[in-house]
Amino acid sequence: RVHGEFQIGQRYTAIMHSKQETGGGEGIEVISIGEKFENELGEGDYSLKKVHFASKLPWIFRQLAPKGSCELNEESWNTYPYFKTNYTVPFLGSRFLVSIETIVRTPCDNNSTDYECNVFNLSEKELKKREVDIIDFVSDPIHTCDYEEDSDPKLFYSNKTCRGRLDENWLLNCHPFIQVYKLYRVKFNYWGLQGRVENFIIRGCRRLLQVFHRRVFCLIDDWYELTMTDIFEIEAKAVEELNQLRRVGRSKGMLLDTESQNNELDTETLKKNKEEIKSENNKEEINSENSADAESKVVFT
């Protein structure tokens, strides 16, 4: 039952979170949602979204990005309890990728708070590179900009489930519970910028995970009695709702960590990378034109 609860809560909260991040020309644009697919893991849902986020970009990206190109493509393959999400940026091409694998588990021993050491079956080489970060959505300190009183699990109490007001020892007293394992692979291959941008992304992902799972728990009275059929209907309606939200109001949602926006990079580093991006984009345009010509010749032969 706990898996079914989390699956519904996670998807419901994803919709609400998207609405909270959308406004003033920025936020989530749903291109495709709920497309069925099947692979070795079984049947699942595929979705494609665009994230418009010009004002939320770190300083580095704003210096590199061509005008009007500040968007992120999100592709997701959901075969719960496993799903995979890829994030790409069109103007950065193959040099940028954030790939996230997720596995949702309940501990084999309900009295144990231990986590599995290699749930993604990584190789020895990958394990040596891996860094493990355990996030406690109740007890870990939260960024000042991210704190919401109505999403504080220490204050919230669910009238429908009689759960809530969790304390520092909640893991010892609440059974069963869910463990969400996430594997992040981050690639940003630009000279002089790689480490800084990759660290910024990881910091941002940690903040997002903490905020998101606090909301999942504190929205439980909204989603507890829903079915997956209800979720599909809510997701379908959200497509147009997000379009409308994006056209009005002002930019809203999670703010960048100010320390990640410093501009200590030397102008030579920025110039070198901007020239590389411009050159690669020009090559792609030429290849695209040549490809179109070739296709035209085939069509009209």
Side-chain angles (χ1 to χ4, degrees):
R1 176 177 173 79
V2 67
H3 264 289
E5 284 187 18
F6 184 77
Q7 182 180 20
I8 289 172
Q10 183 266 335
R11 291 183 73 143
Y12 178 85
T13 306
I15 301 165
M16 298 301 110
H17 180 80
S18 294
K19 292 180 181 179
Q20 288 181 292
E21 296 289 322
T22 301
E26 298 188 342
I28 312 300
E29 177 186 358
V30 180
I31 308 300
S32 174
I33 193 167
E35 287 188 22
K36 300 299 180 184
F37 73 91
E38 187 171 355
N39 60 19
E40 67 278 6
L41 297 174
E43 293 184 354
D45 301 326
Y46 168 80
S47 68
L48 172 62
K49 302 174 185 176
K50 286 188 177 182
V51 185
H52 304 271
F53 63 135
S55 72
K56 298 179 183 180
L57 278 173
W59 183 84
I60 293 172
F61 274 109
R62 291 203 302 273
Q63 298 303 307
L64 294 175
K67 188 175 181 180
S69 63
C70 298
E71 60 184 38
L72 194 70
N73 290 339
E74 175 192 292
E75 286 189 282
S76 183
W77 297 264
N78 187 337
T79 53
Y80 188 89
Y82 171 86
F83 36 102
K84 181 175 181 178
T85 304
N86 283 348
Y87 291 95
T88 55
V89 177
F91 81 84
L92 293 176
S94 61
R95 292 196 178 201
F96 176 88
L97 173 66
V98 177
S99 177
I100 308 169
E101 293 181 67
T102 303
I103 294 179
V104 182
R105 293 278 179 90
T106 51
C108 297
D109 179 2
N110 279 339
N111 295 315
S112 173
T113 59
D114 293 339
Y115 63 90
E116 297 180 50
C117 292
N118 192 12
V119 70
F120 293 101
N121 296 317
L122 301 179
S123 66
E124 287 297 323
K125 183 178 180 181
E126 289 174 315
L127 287 172
K128 289 179 181 178
K129 294 181 179 179
R130 181 188 66 173
E131 295 181 13
V132 177
D133 185 4
I134 300 175
I135 301 175
D136 182 336
F137 83 112
V138 177
S139 304
D140 283 1
I142 187 165
H143 196 289
T144 306
C145 296
D146 300 334
Y147 179 78
E148 301 167 329
E149 187 173 331
D150 59 358
S151 295
D152 188 338
K154 293 181 179 180
L155 302 177
F156 169 77
Y157 184 79
S158 166
N159 294 316
K160 290 185 178 179
T161 66
C162 299
R163 305 172 193 170
R165 300 195 186 105
L166 303 180
D167 61 23
E168 301 290 333
N169 297 314
W170 72 275
L171 275 171
L172 302 175
N173 303 319
C174 299
H175 297 283
F177 59 86
I178 284 288
Q179 291 176 327
V180 181
Y181 294 84
K182 287 188 174 285
L183 176 64
Y184 285 77
R185 291 186 171 95
V186 180
K187 179 175 75 171
F188 186 81
N189 289 343
Y190 279 95
W191 177 79
L193 304 177
Q194 184 171 1
R196 179 172 300 199
V197 172
E198 289 178 353
N199 287 336
F200 163 79
I201 292 169
I202 292 299
R203 282 201 307 271
C205 288
R206 192 188 201 284
R207 285 177 60 196
L208 178 60
L209 287 173
Q210 191 178 11
V211 168
F212 181 81
H213 288 93
R214 288 163 73 94
R215 287 177 179 170
V216 172
F217 182 76
C218 294
L219 287 173
I220 191 169
D221 283 350
D222 293 345
W223 57 256
Y224 183 70
E225 295 174 337
L226 298 179
T227 65
M228 283 306 298
T229 300
D230 296 325
I231 291 296
F232 295 144
E233 291 177 357
I234 293 170
E235 288 177 338
K237 290 178 181 177
V239 175
E240 184 54 34
E241 291 173 352
L242 288 168
N243 285 336
Q244 293 176 2
L245 284 171
R246 206 171 59 255
R247 298 188 192 108
V248 299
R250 57 182 177 79
S251 176
K252 59 183 181 179
M254 182 178 285
L255 299 173
L256 285 174
D257 191 341
T258 53
E259 72 175 86
S260 67
Q261 298 190 63
N262 64 68
N263 54 1
E264 295 172 359
L265 285 174
D266 61 273
T267 55
E268 190 61 33
T269 299
L270 284 172
K271 182 179 178 182
K272 176 181 173 63
N273 284 282
K274 289 174 81 169
E275 288 174 351
E276 284 188 19
I277 292 172
K278 184 176 180 180
S279 174
E280 290 179 3
N281 287 339
N282 288 339
K283 286 179 183 178
E284 288 182 5
E285 289 178 6
I286 293 171
N287 290 336
S288 178
E289 290 173 3
N290 291 340
S291 176
D293 289 342
E295 289 173 2
S296 297
K297 290 174 184 177
V298 171
V299 170
F300 290 106
T301 297

